[in-house]
mmCIF file of all heavy atoms in Angstrom:
data_model
loop_
_atom_site.group_PDB
_atom_site.id
_atom_site.type_symbol
_atom_site.label_atom_id
_atom_site.label_comp_id
_atom_site.label_asym_id
_atom_site.label_seq_id
_atom_site.Cartn_x
_atom_site.Cartn_y
_atom_site.Cartn_z
ATOM 1 N N VAL A 1013 3.777 32.963 -38.368
ATOM 2 C CA VAL A 1013 3.742 32.631 -39.792
ATOM 3 C C VAL A 1013 3.244 33.778 -40.654
ATOM 4 O O VAL A 1013 3.205 33.657 -41.884
ATOM 5 C CB VAL A 1013 2.873 31.379 -40.057
ATOM 6 C CG1 VAL A 1013 3.347 30.213 -39.196
ATOM 7 C CG2 VAL A 1013 1.398 31.664 -39.819
ATOM 8 N N LYS A 1014 2.883 34.867 -40.013
ATOM 9 C CA LYS A 1014 2.325 35.996 -40.750
ATOM 10 C C LYS A 1014 3.316 36.497 -41.799
ATOM 11 O O LYS A 1014 4.506 36.673 -41.525
ATOM 12 C CB LYS A 1014 1.966 37.122 -39.782
ATOM 13 C CG LYS A 1014 0.925 38.087 -40.303
ATOM 14 C CD LYS A 1014 0.525 39.103 -39.247
ATOM 15 C CE LYS A 1014 -0.185 38.457 -38.078
ATOM 16 N NZ LYS A 1014 -1.585 38.072 -38.434
ATOM 17 N N GLY A 1015 2.803 36.693 -43.005
ATOM 18 C CA GLY A 1015 3.657 37.145 -44.104
ATOM 19 C C GLY A 1015 4.358 36.016 -44.838
ATOM 20 O O GLY A 1015 4.953 36.238 -45.896
ATOM 21 N N ARG A 1016 4.293 34.802 -44.288
ATOM 22 C CA ARG A 1016 4.948 33.654 -44.938
ATOM 23 C C ARG A 1016 3.937 32.591 -45.376
ATOM 24 O O ARG A 1016 4.125 31.953 -46.413
ATOM 25 C CB ARG A 1016 5.961 33.005 -43.989
ATOM 26 C CG ARG A 1016 7.067 33.933 -43.539
ATOM 27 C CD ARG A 1016 8.152 33.181 -42.764
ATOM 28 N NE ARG A 1016 7.651 32.564 -41.545
ATOM 29 C CZ ARG A 1016 7.698 31.257 -41.297
ATOM 30 N NH1 ARG A 1016 8.196 30.421 -42.198
ATOM 31 N NH2 ARG A 1016 7.242 30.783 -40.143
ATOM 32 N N PHE A 1017 2.897 32.376 -44.608
ATOM 33 C CA PHE A 1017 1.879 31.362 -44.917
ATOM 34 C C PHE A 1017 0.591 32.052 -45.369
ATOM 35 O O PHE A 1017 0.192 33.069 -44.801
ATOM 36 C CB PHE A 1017 1.559 30.519 -43.687
ATOM 37 C CG PHE A 1017 2.660 29.614 -43.225
ATOM 38 C CD1 PHE A 1017 3.927 29.648 -43.787
ATOM 39 C CD2 PHE A 1017 2.429 28.704 -42.199
ATOM 40 C CE1 PHE A 1017 4.945 28.804 -43.346
ATOM 41 C CE2 PHE A 1017 3.433 27.854 -41.754
ATOM 42 C CZ PHE A 1017 4.687 27.919 -42.319
ATOM 43 N N THR A 1018 -0.055 31.458 -46.364
ATOM 44 C CA THR A 1018 -1.314 31.994 -46.865
ATOM 45 C C THR A 1018 -2.343 30.890 -46.948
ATOM 46 O O THR A 1018 -2.111 29.868 -47.592
ATOM 47 C CB THR A 1018 -1.127 32.616 -48.261
ATOM 48 O OG1 THR A 1018 -0.130 33.647 -48.196
ATOM 49 C CG2 THR A 1018 -2.432 33.224 -48.753
ATOM 50 N N ILE A 1019 -3.474 31.115 -46.316
ATOM 51 C CA ILE A 1019 -4.568 30.147 -46.362
ATOM 52 C C ILE A 1019 -5.577 30.580 -47.417
ATOM 53 O O ILE A 1019 -5.821 31.778 -47.613
ATOM 54 C CB ILE A 1019 -5.238 30.007 -44.978
ATOM 55 C CG1 ILE A 1019 -6.235 28.855 -44.964
ATOM 56 C CG2 ILE A 1019 -5.881 31.316 -44.536
ATOM 57 C CD1 ILE A 1019 -6.782 28.520 -43.579
ATOM 58 N N SER A 1020 -6.140 29.606 -48.118
ATOM 59 C CA SER A 1020 -7.173 29.890 -49.121
ATOM 60 C C SER A 1020 -8.122 28.698 -49.180
ATOM 61 O O SER A 1020 -7.846 27.654 -48.594
ATOM 62 C CB SER A 1020 -6.547 30.166 -50.490
ATOM 63 O OG SER A 1020 -5.829 29.036 -50.944
ATOM 64 N N ARG A 1021 -9.204 28.864 -49.882
ATOM 65 C CA ARG A 1021 -10.178 27.770 -49.989
ATOM 66 C C ARG A 1021 -10.859 27.799 -51.345
ATOM 67 O O ARG A 1021 -10.988 28.846 -51.968
ATOM 68 C CB ARG A 1021 -11.199 27.855 -48.859
ATOM 69 C CG ARG A 1021 -12.160 29.020 -48.957
ATOM 70 C CD ARG A 1021 -12.964 29.205 -47.656
ATOM 71 N NE ARG A 1021 -13.803 28.050 -47.355
ATOM 72 C CZ ARG A 1021 -14.369 27.824 -46.186
ATOM 73 N NH1 ARG A 1021 -14.145 28.666 -45.165
ATOM 74 N NH2 ARG A 1021 -15.152 26.771 -45.990
ATOM 75 N N ASP A 1022 -11.326 26.634 -51.757
ATOM 76 C CA ASP A 1022 -12.135 26.474 -52.957
ATOM 77 C C ASP A 1022 -13.375 25.708 -52.517
ATOM 78 O O ASP A 1022 -13.328 24.485 -52.359
ATOM 79 C CB ASP A 1022 -11.354 25.720 -54.028
ATOM 80 C CG ASP A 1022 -12.103 25.624 -55.352
ATOM 81 O OD1 ASP A 1022 -13.355 25.643 -55.335
ATOM 82 O OD2 ASP A 1022 -11.445 25.516 -56.395
ATOM 83 N N ASN A 1023 -14.462 26.413 -52.304
ATOM 84 C CA ASN A 1023 -15.662 25.757 -51.780
ATOM 85 C C ASN A 1023 -16.252 24.752 -52.761
ATOM 86 O O ASN A 1023 -16.824 23.745 -52.349
ATOM 87 C CB ASN A 1023 -16.713 26.801 -51.409
ATOM 88 C CG ASN A 1023 -16.332 27.577 -50.165
ATOM 89 O OD1 ASN A 1023 -15.607 27.085 -49.293
ATOM 90 N ND2 ASN A 1023 -16.813 28.800 -50.063
ATOM 91 N N ALA A 1024 -16.121 25.001 -54.038
ATOM 92 C CA ALA A 1024 -16.639 24.063 -55.033
ATOM 93 C C ALA A 1024 -15.914 22.727 -54.959
ATOM 94 O O ALA A 1024 -16.510 21.670 -55.185
ATOM 95 C CB ALA A 1024 -16.504 24.653 -56.429
ATOM 96 N N LYS A 1025 -14.633 22.784 -54.617
ATOM 97 C CA LYS A 1025 -13.844 21.556 -54.488
ATOM 98 C C LYS A 1025 -13.791 21.062 -53.043
ATOM 99 O O LYS A 1025 -13.161 20.041 -52.763
ATOM 100 C CB LYS A 1025 -12.419 21.796 -54.991
ATOM 101 C CG LYS A 1025 -12.331 22.090 -56.481
ATOM 102 C CD LYS A 1025 -10.884 22.256 -56.923
ATOM 103 C CE LYS A 1025 -10.798 22.510 -58.417
ATOM 104 N NZ LYS A 1025 -9.396 22.672 -58.871
ATOM 105 N N LYS A 1026 -14.413 21.798 -52.132
ATOM 106 C CA LYS A 1026 -14.392 21.442 -50.708
ATOM 107 C C LYS A 1026 -12.953 21.241 -50.234
ATOM 108 O O LYS A 1026 -12.629 20.255 -49.557
ATOM 109 C CB LYS A 1026 -15.221 20.185 -50.445
ATOM 110 C CG LYS A 1026 -16.692 20.338 -50.795
ATOM 111 C CD LYS A 1026 -17.468 19.074 -50.489
ATOM 112 C CE LYS A 1026 -18.907 19.192 -50.930
ATOM 113 N NZ LYS A 1026 -19.670 17.943 -50.674
ATOM 114 N N THR A 1027 -12.117 22.174 -50.581
ATOM 115 C CA THR A 1027 -10.689 22.055 -50.289
ATOM 116 C C THR A 1027 -10.159 23.352 -49.690
ATOM 117 O O THR A 1027 -10.535 24.446 -50.130
ATOM 118 C CB THR A 1027 -9.902 21.700 -51.555
ATOM 119 O OG1 THR A 1027 -10.399 20.472 -52.082
ATOM 120 C CG2 THR A 1027 -8.416 21.541 -51.258
ATOM 121 N N VAL A 1028 -9.307 23.187 -48.688
ATOM 122 C CA VAL A 1028 -8.599 24.310 -48.077
ATOM 123 C C VAL A 1028 -7.118 24.130 -48.369
ATOM 124 O O VAL A 1028 -6.605 23.006 -48.319
ATOM 125 C CB VAL A 1028 -8.831 24.354 -46.558
ATOM 126 C CG1 VAL A 1028 -8.143 25.574 -45.943
ATOM 127 C CG2 VAL A 1028 -10.307 24.385 -46.242
ATOM 128 N N TYR A 1029 -6.450 25.233 -48.659
ATOM 129 C CA TYR A 1029 -5.032 25.185 -48.998
ATOM 130 C C TYR A 1029 -4.229 26.001 -47.990
ATOM 131 O O TYR A 1029 -4.730 26.929 -47.365
ATOM 132 C CB TYR A 1029 -4.796 25.758 -50.395
ATOM 133 C CG TYR A 1029 -5.589 25.080 -51.482
ATOM 134 C CD1 TYR A 1029 -6.789 25.627 -51.928
ATOM 135 C CD2 TYR A 1029 -5.142 23.899 -52.060
ATOM 136 C CE1 TYR A 1029 -7.528 25.017 -52.928
ATOM 137 C CE2 TYR A 1029 -5.870 23.273 -53.069
ATOM 138 C CZ TYR A 1029 -7.066 23.844 -53.498
ATOM 139 O OH TYR A 1029 -7.790 23.223 -54.472
ATOM 140 N N LEU A 1030 -2.963 25.642 -47.875
ATOM 141 C CA LEU A 1030 -2.033 26.450 -47.107
ATOM 142 C C LEU A 1030 -0.746 26.551 -47.911
ATOM 143 O O LEU A 1030 -0.071 25.543 -48.135
ATOM 144 C CB LEU A 1030 -1.752 25.846 -45.737
ATOM 145 C CG LEU A 1030 -0.916 26.726 -44.796
ATOM 146 C CD1 LEU A 1030 -1.713 27.978 -44.392
ATOM 147 C CD2 LEU A 1030 -0.498 25.962 -43.541
ATOM 148 N N GLN A 1031 -0.464 27.756 -48.371
ATOM 149 C CA GLN A 1031 0.782 28.010 -49.083
ATOM 150 C C GLN A 1031 1.830 28.407 -48.050
ATOM 151 O O GLN A 1031 1.643 29.381 -47.316
ATOM 152 C CB GLN A 1031 0.598 29.124 -50.114
ATOM 153 C CG GLN A 1031 1.860 29.490 -50.863
ATOM 154 C CD GLN A 1031 2.341 28.395 -51.788
ATOM 155 O OE1 GLN A 1031 1.546 27.764 -52.477
ATOM 156 N NE2 GLN A 1031 3.651 28.159 -51.821
ATOM 157 N N LEU A 1032 2.915 27.661 -48.013
ATOM 158 C CA LEU A 1032 3.989 27.916 -47.066
ATOM 159 C C LEU A 1032 5.190 28.447 -47.834
ATOM 160 O O LEU A 1032 5.708 27.761 -48.716
ATOM 161 C CB LEU A 1032 4.387 26.642 -46.319
ATOM 162 C CG LEU A 1032 3.390 25.987 -45.370
ATOM 163 C CD1 LEU A 1032 2.255 25.304 -46.102
ATOM 164 C CD2 LEU A 1032 4.088 24.976 -44.484
ATOM 165 N N ASN A 1033 5.609 29.639 -47.529
ATOM 166 C CA ASN A 1033 6.783 30.238 -48.167
ATOM 167 C C ASN A 1033 7.826 30.568 -47.108
ATOM 168 O O ASN A 1033 7.522 30.671 -45.922
ATOM 169 C CB ASN A 1033 6.392 31.500 -48.927
ATOM 170 C CG ASN A 1033 5.496 31.221 -50.106
ATOM 171 O OD1 ASN A 1033 5.603 30.178 -50.757
ATOM 172 N ND2 ASN A 1033 4.598 32.151 -50.399
ATOM 173 N N SER A 1034 9.051 30.739 -47.568
ATOM 174 C CA SER A 1034 10.155 31.107 -46.662
ATOM 175 C C SER A 1034 10.184 30.208 -45.434
ATOM 176 O O SER A 1034 10.263 30.681 -44.289
ATOM 177 C CB SER A 1034 10.015 32.575 -46.246
ATOM 178 O OG SER A 1034 10.000 33.422 -47.366
ATOM 179 N N LEU A 1035 10.133 28.925 -45.680
ATOM 180 C CA LEU A 1035 10.034 27.971 -44.579
ATOM 181 C C LEU A 1035 11.275 28.002 -43.697
ATOM 182 O O LEU A 1035 12.400 28.205 -44.171
ATOM 183 C CB LEU A 1035 9.813 26.567 -45.122
ATOM 184 C CG LEU A 1035 8.355 26.268 -45.498
ATOM 185 C CD1 LEU A 1035 8.256 25.082 -46.430
ATOM 186 C CD2 LEU A 1035 7.531 26.037 -44.236
ATOM 187 N N LYS A 1036 11.047 27.777 -42.417
ATOM 188 C CA LYS A 1036 12.104 27.750 -41.425
ATOM 189 C C LYS A 1036 12.159 26.364 -40.789
ATOM 190 O O LYS A 1036 11.150 25.628 -40.797
ATOM 191 C CB LYS A 1036 11.849 28.792 -40.341
ATOM 192 C CG LYS A 1036 11.705 30.216 -40.860
ATOM 193 C CD LYS A 1036 11.363 31.167 -39.727
ATOM 194 C CE LYS A 1036 11.200 32.595 -40.240
ATOM 195 N NZ LYS A 1036 10.860 33.544 -39.139
ATOM 196 N N VAL A 1037 13.295 26.031 -40.221
ATOM 197 C CA VAL A 1037 13.428 24.729 -39.567
ATOM 198 C C VAL A 1037 12.349 24.551 -38.500
ATOM 199 O O VAL A 1037 11.794 23.463 -38.332
ATOM 200 C CB VAL A 1037 14.832 24.581 -38.957
ATOM 201 C CG1 VAL A 1037 14.919 23.326 -38.106
ATOM 202 C CG2 VAL A 1037 15.893 24.558 -40.048
ATOM 203 N N GLU A 1038 12.018 25.626 -37.813
ATOM 204 C CA GLU A 1038 11.018 25.550 -36.746
ATOM 205 C C GLU A 1038 9.590 25.372 -37.260
ATOM 206 O O GLU A 1038 8.659 25.222 -36.465
ATOM 207 C CB GLU A 1038 11.088 26.786 -35.841
ATOM 208 C CG GLU A 1038 11.044 28.114 -36.564
ATOM 209 C CD GLU A 1038 12.426 28.692 -36.813
ATOM 210 O OE1 GLU A 1038 13.353 27.927 -37.182
ATOM 211 O OE2 GLU A 1038 12.578 29.930 -36.661
ATOM 212 N N ASP A 1039 9.395 25.396 -38.562
ATOM 213 C CA ASP A 1039 8.078 25.089 -39.129
ATOM 214 C C ASP A 1039 7.858 23.586 -39.268
ATOM 215 O O ASP A 1039 6.766 23.149 -39.637
ATOM 216 C CB ASP A 1039 7.922 25.738 -40.511
ATOM 217 C CG ASP A 1039 7.915 27.253 -40.457
ATOM 218 O OD1 ASP A 1039 7.309 27.805 -39.520
ATOM 219 O OD2 ASP A 1039 8.508 27.877 -41.357
ATOM 220 N N THR A 1040 8.876 22.803 -38.990
ATOM 221 C CA THR A 1040 8.745 21.349 -39.051
ATOM 222 C C THR A 1040 7.660 20.880 -38.097
ATOM 223 O O THR A 1040 7.691 21.188 -36.899
ATOM 224 C CB THR A 1040 10.079 20.675 -38.696
ATOM 225 O OG1 THR A 1040 11.051 21.000 -39.699
ATOM 226 C CG2 THR A 1040 9.923 19.162 -38.609
ATOM 227 N N ALA A 1041 6.680 20.152 -38.635
ATOM 228 C CA ALA A 1041 5.533 19.719 -37.840
ATOM 229 C C ALA A 1041 4.615 18.867 -38.710
ATOM 230 O O ALA A 1041 4.774 18.819 -39.932
ATOM 231 C CB ALA A 1041 4.751 20.919 -37.307
ATOM 232 N N VAL A 1042 3.668 18.222 -38.063
ATOM 233 C CA VAL A 1042 2.557 17.605 -38.777
ATOM 234 C C VAL A 1042 1.465 18.664 -38.881
ATOM 235 O O VAL A 1042 1.088 19.275 -37.869
ATOM 236 C CB VAL A 1042 2.032 16.350 -38.066
ATOM 237 C CG1 VAL A 1042 0.855 15.763 -38.838
ATOM 238 C CG2 VAL A 1042 3.144 15.310 -37.929
ATOM 239 N N TYR A 1043 0.983 18.898 -40.072
ATOM 240 C CA TYR A 1043 -0.020 19.921 -40.331
ATOM 241 C C TYR A 1043 -1.382 19.261 -40.547
ATOM 242 O O TYR A 1043 -1.502 18.273 -41.282
ATOM 243 C CB TYR A 1043 0.371 20.745 -41.556
ATOM 244 C CG TYR A 1043 1.485 21.720 -41.265
ATOM 245 C CD1 TYR A 1043 2.786 21.281 -41.077
ATOM 246 C CD2 TYR A 1043 1.230 23.092 -41.152
ATOM 247 C CE1 TYR A 1043 3.809 22.172 -40.780
ATOM 248 C CE2 TYR A 1043 2.245 23.992 -40.871
ATOM 249 C CZ TYR A 1043 3.531 23.523 -40.679
ATOM 250 O OH TYR A 1043 4.539 24.410 -40.394
ATOM 251 N N TYR A 1044 -2.378 19.833 -39.898
ATOM 252 C CA TYR A 1044 -3.750 19.338 -39.959
ATOM 253 C C TYR A 1044 -4.691 20.484 -40.334
ATOM 254 O O TYR A 1044 -4.423 21.649 -40.051
ATOM 255 C CB TYR A 1044 -4.208 18.830 -38.591
ATOM 256 C CG TYR A 1044 -3.358 17.774 -37.953
ATOM 257 C CD1 TYR A 1044 -2.241 18.109 -37.183
ATOM 258 C CD2 TYR A 1044 -3.686 16.425 -38.070
ATOM 259 C CE1 TYR A 1044 -1.470 17.144 -36.572
ATOM 260 C CE2 TYR A 1044 -2.929 15.441 -37.451
ATOM 261 C CZ TYR A 1044 -1.822 15.814 -36.706
ATOM 262 O OH TYR A 1044 -1.065 14.848 -36.095
ATOM 263 N N CYS A 1045 -5.819 20.123 -40.914
ATOM 264 C CA CYS A 1045 -6.880 21.108 -41.067
ATOM 265 C C CYS A 1045 -8.071 20.669 -40.219
ATOM 266 O O CYS A 1045 -8.208 19.494 -39.864
ATOM 267 C CB CYS A 1045 -7.281 21.289 -42.516
ATOM 268 S SG CYS A 1045 -8.131 19.879 -43.238
ATOM 269 N N ASN A 1046 -8.903 21.614 -39.887
ATOM 270 C CA ASN A 1046 -10.113 21.346 -39.122
ATOM 271 C C ASN A 1046 -10.924 22.629 -39.143
ATOM 272 O O ASN A 1046 -10.463 23.670 -39.613
ATOM 273 C CB ASN A 1046 -9.783 20.946 -37.681
ATOM 274 C CG ASN A 1046 -10.856 20.066 -37.047
ATOM 275 O OD1 ASN A 1046 -12.031 20.421 -37.055
ATOM 276 N ND2 ASN A 1046 -10.459 18.929 -36.512
ATOM 277 N N ALA A 1047 -12.102 22.569 -38.628
ATOM 278 C CA ALA A 1047 -12.868 23.790 -38.443
ATOM 279 C C ALA A 1047 -12.154 24.618 -37.371
ATOM 280 O O ALA A 1047 -11.305 24.133 -36.636
ATOM 281 C CB ALA A 1047 -14.281 23.459 -38.002
ATOM 282 N N ALA A 1048 -12.515 25.880 -37.293
ATOM 283 C CA ALA A 1048 -11.947 26.758 -36.271
ATOM 284 C C ALA A 1048 -13.100 27.458 -35.563
ATOM 285 O O ALA A 1048 -13.769 28.286 -36.180
ATOM 286 C CB ALA A 1048 -10.994 27.763 -36.897
ATOM 287 N N PRO A 1049 -13.316 27.167 -34.281
ATOM 288 C CA PRO A 1049 -12.644 26.166 -33.443
ATOM 289 C C PRO A 1049 -12.838 24.746 -33.965
ATOM 290 O O PRO A 1049 -13.811 24.473 -34.675
ATOM 291 C CB PRO A 1049 -13.324 26.328 -32.077
ATOM 292 C CG PRO A 1049 -14.020 27.646 -32.111
ATOM 293 C CD PRO A 1049 -14.373 27.890 -33.539
ATOM 294 N N ALA A 1050 -11.935 23.870 -33.628
ATOM 295 C CA ALA A 1050 -11.949 22.497 -34.130
ATOM 296 C C ALA A 1050 -13.061 21.690 -33.488
ATOM 297 O O ALA A 1050 -13.212 21.653 -32.272
ATOM 298 C CB ALA A 1050 -10.606 21.834 -33.852
ATOM 299 N N TRP A 1051 -13.851 21.049 -34.353
ATOM 300 C CA TRP A 1051 -14.892 20.138 -33.846
ATOM 301 C C TRP A 1051 -15.025 18.898 -34.706
ATOM 302 O O TRP A 1051 -15.677 17.941 -34.344
ATOM 303 C CB TRP A 1051 -16.247 20.845 -33.750
ATOM 304 C CG TRP A 1051 -16.776 21.369 -35.052
ATOM 305 C CD1 TRP A 1051 -16.656 22.649 -35.525
ATOM 306 C CD2 TRP A 1051 -17.512 20.660 -36.048
ATOM 307 N NE1 TRP A 1051 -17.256 22.765 -36.755
ATOM 308 C CE2 TRP A 1051 -17.802 21.564 -37.099
ATOM 309 C CE3 TRP A 1051 -17.964 19.345 -36.174
ATOM 310 C CZ2 TRP A 1051 -18.508 21.203 -38.238
ATOM 311 C CZ3 TRP A 1051 -18.681 18.977 -37.305
ATOM 312 C CH2 TRP A 1051 -18.937 19.907 -38.328
#
């Protein structure tokens, strides 16, 4: 996804974003957020 997806965050809003550009059929999926590593 490098060069196509961009992650960002707004700590005041406690929100994480993922901008997806130039989407491909193979990007079809359920998308989740979590800590990294996930806990």
Side-chain angles (χ1 to χ4, degrees):
V1013 306
K1014 203 175 294 285
R1016 300 188 298 120
F1017 292 7
T1018 302
I1019 189 171
S1020 61
R1021 70 191 297 165
D1022 185 332
N1023 288 333
K1025 294 183 178 180
K1026 298 181 184 178
T1027 301
V1028 183
Y1029 304 97
L1030 187 67
Q1031 178 68 42
L1032 294 72
N1033 294 327
S1034 302
L1035 279 161
K1036 303 176 181 180
V1037 172
E1038 52 264 41
D1039 294 320
T1040 295
V1042 179
Y1043 285 73
Y1044 304 86
C1045 69
N1046 207 307
W1051 60 264

